[in-house]
Amino acid sequence: MSKLQTEILTSDASGLATAADVLARGGLVAFPTETVYGLGADARDNRAVARVFAAKGRPSFNPLIVHVPDLAAAQSIARFDDISLELAQAFWPGPLTLVLPLRADSGIAPLVTAGLDTVALRVPAHPVGQALLHAFNGPIAAPSANPSGRISPTTATHVADGLGGKLDAIVDGGACTVGLESTIVGGTPPALLRPGGLPTEEIEKITGPLAKAGDTITAPGQIKSHYAPNAPVRLNANAAHAGEVLLGFGPMQSDLNLSITGDLIEAAANLFEHLHRLNDTGKPIAIAPIPNTGLGRAINDRLQRAAAPR
Ligand code: AMP
Ligand code: MG
């Protein structure tokens, strides 16, 4: 990935307008929330989201949390049951993430949810995060703004130290107050998927005892066949066998190609859409080899899960 000039922006109206512009052009902007600094991208733009994974050096495509300004925006993306609605009304804005069924017309890029039909949503309370969401006027997908495996950043300096040169801008909004990631709840009945900044006791006042993750919802990344097409998947294929459809990479004959030019960011951006389309053919899927460098590692991780015996 070529090195970027990372701009440090102020959190006033002009800094936020620039940040919103960068996001609208498919750029990456780190911004403060009350939990930690997030590495934000337009949640409707697969390519921008692919760049988030590349910047963090994530070895797998774990789904990202989508940040929205308010409950109404969240409801245009996901379907709320009664308990989720109560939780949102009680704790948003705040450090609670809800995993909910994705609406068909949500516009959310498949890479954000790693191809799942659920989405993680949150309304941050931080005034700068809120102001950026209003300036951008769209959903922002954001994991913590640190290289994969490093400690989460709670100041703009932490972000610059970890990711400088790999993102377009950082909105400096001072130190985060919670400093812990958001609590994640999802499933019916609701289960605790990750403890975090909002104490479970507070949530259980509304939900009663939370179920265990795995009982009502599967936490992504924990099962081998996390994204599983119905049909068999064959990896490292250089050509299709009779009856197969071929997912290509680089210049080659194929039914669909992740990136004709062999660009791993483009390949990541196309991955889930292409898998869904090939799955819809009902035929076995053969997949060309993908180099195991940079984003290729995350792509291969996902493909190995898709090909895992089940
Ligand atoms: P991070 O963005 O690093 O704070 O991590 C986001 C967390 O949300 C990860 O633990 C994900 O596994 C979880 N998550 C995001 N989307 C979903 C989803 N659709 N279903 C279950 N968990 C999710
Ligand atoms: Mg993180």
Side-chain angles (χ1 to χ4, degrees), residues 64-151:
L64 304 179
I65 296 171
V66 175
H67 296 69
V68 289
D70 52 34
L71 177 58
Q75 284 175 311
S76 74
I77 294 173
R79 292 194 305 274
F80 284 68
D81 55 56
D82 292 343
I83 291 191
S84 307
L85 195 58
E86 267 190 74
L87 289 174
Q89 282 161 344
F91 300 116
W92 281 356
L96 172 68
T97 294
L98 294 172
V99 174
L100 299 163
L102 189 63
R103 285 188 186 280
D105 59 353
S106 68
I108 296 298
L111 195 56
V112 168
T113 62
L116 297 173
D117 54 11
T118 53
V119 61
L121 289 172
R122 177 164 114 75
V123 176
H126 197 290
V128 175
Q130 270 287 329
L132 178 62
L133 283 162
H134 281 99
F136 177 55
N137 194 27
I140 301 177
S144 51
N146 53 325
S148 186
R150 300 257 299 270
I151 301 168

